[in-house]
Amino acid sequence: MAAKGKTAEGGMMRNSSSSSRPLQSLDRRRLMQMIGSSIMPLIIALLALIFGTLEPRFFSLQNFGNILIQSSFLIVLAVAQMFALIVRGFDLSMGQVISMISVGSALTMAHLVSVMPDAPVMAVMIGLFFGLSIGLVAGLVNGFNIAILGVHPFVATLGMLGISQGIASTISGGFPVFGVPDVLAKTFLHSDFLGVPIPISMTILVCAVAAIVLNRSVFGRMLYLVGSNPRAADAAGIPTKRVLVGAFVSCSLVTAIASLMLTARTGSGEPLMGGGLMLQAIAAAVIGGVSLRGGEGKVMHCVIGGVFITMLSNGMNMVRVEGYFQMIVLGVVVITGVFIDRLRHR
């Protein structure tokens, strides 16, 4: 009897210790998430202090305005990348899709304004619609390849990268597309809404819509469920394939918005506009707190990460850091973000 009592007591102790381990792991994860969400604003403040000490002009109101406008484009791209990251994917084609949309919409506007010189607003509206349509098609192709054909996101978006780059270079001849109506830049770059520059206003609108979709819609909840546990989501009757397609369509549509904003900024269609924007967008999302493991990410994470990356780039430019060394710093930031993400999920 005594032996049975000891055995039962030992079993209870083992059960209690084993059941406490998940709780301890959960508490540790929550603690790391709290630290991660609060440390980035402190790092941004410290970064501003360092650059402001090295270059006093960094603290000027004009420079802070430049940082806000410059970060608005990156924040939109980070939000786009977040939709793919939530479902355990990513979009490597983002940079080249940006170039393809920029060239395609610029060619459309330039042609229409030459045919209808008295209707530049109509030319711009049709060009914007065409650019969004290109983004929609690119997202559908990526989503179909990944969700329906089962192609890994790395391979699927890498293929779209090559396709987009080829199309952008072919239809533009490898040169910038000029002839874009001035009304595009006047409306989407040089004007303001209630005193707020249009690029910032557009970014606020995109972030607000994305936050509503993710937090208040059925589609948003399904995105998080599919990203957290695809098998469990499928077993629960969630249409995982349609959710994956929707995630990559959302990613490309938001990318199209950013591309059109950048086209208004340059005043021309640029076949090389995408450049390193894909890497910067992923860096901004991940360093801000969006998880590479899926199922986790908020719009505010993209805002924080976008401001951080832009401030880092702006500060290095003001203290005259070489451009190639800035690329090294960005790579280090990406690796650091992945390491922090791993710590959060231990």
Side-chain angles (χ1 to χ4, degrees):
M1 293 290 291
K4 290 182 179 180
K6 291 181 179 180
T7 303
E9 184 179 354
M12 293 177 60
M13 292 178 63
R14 283 194 298 270
N15 290 335
S16 61
S17 61
S18 61
S19 62
S20 65
R21 288 173 186 170
L23 293 176
Q24 292 175 358
S25 177
L26 183 61
D27 291 340
R28 191 184 305 114
R29 184 179 300 178
R30 287 177 178 174
L31 178 61
M32 292 302 300
Q33 289 175 351
M34 291 175 59
I35 293 174
S37 61
S38 61
I39 199 172
M40 279 307 300
L42 296 177
I43 292 177
I44 291 175
L46 179 62
L47 194 66
L49 182 62
I50 293 173
F51 284 132
T53 303
L54 296 175
E55 176 53 71
R57 290 181 303 161
F58 182 84
F59 282 134
S60 65
L61 292 178
Q62 181 181 2
N63 187 54
F64 278 135
N66 291 335
I67 290 175
L68 289 176
I69 293 177
Q70 291 170 10
S71 64
S72 63
F73 304 102
L74 183 56
I75 289 171
V76 174
L77 290 174
V79 169
Q81 200 68 245
M82 178 182 63
F83 279 100
L85 290 170
I86 287 176
V87 294
R88 301 189 178 190
F90 42 78
D91 188 359
L92 296 181
S93 65
M94 174 178 280
Q96 279 60 40
V97 169
I98 289 172
S99 300
M100 179 173 63
I101 293 171
S102 176
V103 170
S105 60
L107 280 171
T108 303
M109 294 179 201
H111 174 71
L112 290 176
V113 82
S114 65
V115 176
M116 306 180 299
D118 297 330
V121 176
M122 179 65 69
V124 168
M125 292 178 63
I126 295 175
L128 294 177
F129 177 77
F130 186 66
L132 292 173
S133 300
I134 296 174
L136 174 63
V137 172
L140 284 171
V141 172
N142 280 335
F144 179 82
N145 290 333
I146 294 167
I148 309 302
L149 299 184
V151 181
H152 192 278
F154 178 88
V155 178
T157 57
L158 187 63
M160 178 55 67
L161 181 153
I163 294 171
S164 303
Q165 187 175 26
I167 292 175
S169 300
T170 300
I171 64 178
S172 67
F175 298 98
V177 178
F178 298 105
V180 176
D182 294 336
V183 67
L184 178 67
K186 290 179 181 178
T187 304
F188 293 98
L189 183 66
H190 301 304
S191 59
D192 60 76
F193 178 74
L194 299 178
V196 180
I198 285 297
I200 299 177
S201 301
M202 288 289 294
T203 301
I204 294 173
L205 178 62
V206 169
C207 289
V209 172
I212 292 172
V213 169
L214 292 174
N215 299 322
R216 302 292 182 181
S217 71
V218 175
F219 173 67
R221 289 192 288 271
M222 288 193 296
L223 280 176
Y224 287 113
L225 290 172
V226 171
S228 299
N229 194 328
R231 292 184 179 180
D234 190 50
I238 294 176
T240 54
K241 292 183 178 180
R242 280 188 288 174
V243 171
L244 286 173
V245 173
F248 280 91
V249 167
S250 301
C251 174
S252 292
L253 280 177
V254 178
T255 299
I257 295 173
S259 176
L260 295 171
M261 292 170 61
L262 289 167
T263 302
R265 182 185 184 186
T266 59
S268 61
E270 300 289 336
L272 301 177
M273 177 180 286
L277 291 177
M278 178 272 295
L279 180 61
Q280 293 183 32
I282 293 179
V286 173
I287 201 70
V290 180
S291 176
L292 287 170
R293 297 169 181 263
E296 186 179 324
K298 297 180 180 179
V299 172
M300 185 54 64
H301 294 154
C302 299
V303 174
I304 293 174
V307 171
F308 172 79
I309 296 294
T310 304
M311 182 177 291
L312 181 65
S313 177
N314 176 272
M316 289 191 294
N317 286 331
M318 295 197 74
V319 298
R320 299 175 183 83
V321 176
E322 292 291 336
Y324 293 117
F325 185 77
Q326 292 188 28
M327 295 174 63
I328 296 174
V329 173
L330 181 60
V332 172
V333 167
V334 174
I335 296 173
T336 303
V338 174
F339 176 70
I340 293 174
D341 179 63
R342 184 177 179 182
L343 288 179
R344 285 202 305 263
H345 291 84
R346 275 187 175 179

